Amino acid sequence: MSGFRHIALFRWIEGTTTGQQDEVAAKLRELPGAIPEIREYGVGVNAGVNPGAYDFAVVADFAGLDDYLVYRDHPVHRAAVDDYITPITAERASIQYEL
Amino acid sequence: MSGFRHIALFRWIEGTTTGQQDEVAAKLRELPGAIPEIREYGVGVNAGVNPGAYDFAVVADFAGLDDYLVYRDHPVHRAAVDDYITPITAERASIQYEL
């Protein structure tokens, strides 16, 4: 399968609540409905198996780089990031790669 | 789809060569042949789209946590980590979550 994948892992700041994390997940799950360039979209919450693991993951697949850029810069995505994610993010690790 | 996903992102140390990274990718791509508990396995090399992105990604899917643990602790996996990955790893970000 060809395509383009974006992965972002987040570690939340001390004191972040499950409710805040659920809000992030809910906001992100709305994005495929708003951004048709998204081919596949998933979020995940750390299962707590390994010490040091990040708290939250986003995996988004696209047909190619151009579609990823539409997602990255889309105002609905940016609003979710600015309003819900950035305020509770302590660390973020990301990568984009060809599938 | 239910299942269990493991994601690991790596930032290599200064001076790591493309050859060393290719070696890591080759070693990891042997793992599904050695560890039948792996359901799906992919590696990715940073496309260089965003500053600060990590260098290398592993996404591995399993039927459940138990199969992931077999992979995590499997001697063939540990050998690849110890011999090829750890020596060139500057930073590692990972998460495991239910699909």
Side-chain angles (χ1 to χ4, degrees):
Chain A
M1 188 183 69
S2 78
F4 193 86
R5 176 167 286 176
H6 162 70
I7 298 175
L9 308 186
F10 299 89
R11 200 188 299 282
W12 306 133
I13 58 174
E14 198 76 28
T16 297
T17 65
T18 306
Q20 286 175 297
Q21 181 174 259
D22 290 348
E23 212 164 40
V24 167
K27 282 288 156 192
L28 291 177
R29 288 198 184 102
E30 290 174 9
L31 296 182
I35 309 173
E37 285 80 3
I38 296 171
R39 188 163 76 185
E40 231 178 289
Y41 202 82
V43 303
V45 170
N46 180 35
V49 179
N50 296 318
Y54 275 54
D55 295 312
F56 191 87
V58 177
V59 179
D61 288 349
F62 306 88
L65 168 61
D66 288 352
D67 283 354
Y68 160 67
L69 294 175
V70 170
Y71 160 80
R72 188 192 65 180
D73 301 331
H74 196 288
V76 179
H77 178 218
R78 296 324 310 168
V81 170
D82 292 346
D83 298 345
Y84 294 90
I85 295 179
T86 302
I88 61 168
T89 296
E91 268 190 282
R92 179 181 182 276
S94 74
I95 190 170
Q96 295 77 37
Y97 60 92
E98 302 278 348
L99 287 171
Chain B
M1 187 185 70
S2 77
F4 193 86
R5 176 167 285 175
H6 162 70
I7 298 176
L9 308 186
F10 298 90
R11 200 188 300 283
W12 306 132
I13 57 173
E14 198 78 25
T16 297
T17 65
T18 307
Q20 286 175 297
Q21 181 173 259
D22 291 347
E23 212 164 39
V24 167
K27 282 288 157 191
L28 291 177
R29 288 197 184 104
E30 290 174 9
L31 296 183
I35 309 172
E37 284 81 2
I38 296 171
R39 187 162 76 185
E40 231 178 290
Y41 201 82
V43 301
V45 170
N46 180 34
V49 179
N50 296 318
Y54 274 55
D55 295 312
F56 190 86
V58 177
V59 178
D61 288 349
F62 306 87
L65 168 61
D66 288 352
D67 283 354
Y68 160 68
L69 294 175
V70 170
Y71 160 79
R72 187 191 66 178
D73 301 330
H74 196 288
V76 178
H77 178 218
R78 297 323 310 168
V81 170
D82 291 347
D83 298 346
Y84 295 91
I85 296 178
T86 302
I88 61 168
T89 297
E91 268 189 283
R92 181 180 181 276
S94 74
I95 190 170
Q96 294 78 38
Y97 60 92
E98 302 278 349
L99 288 171

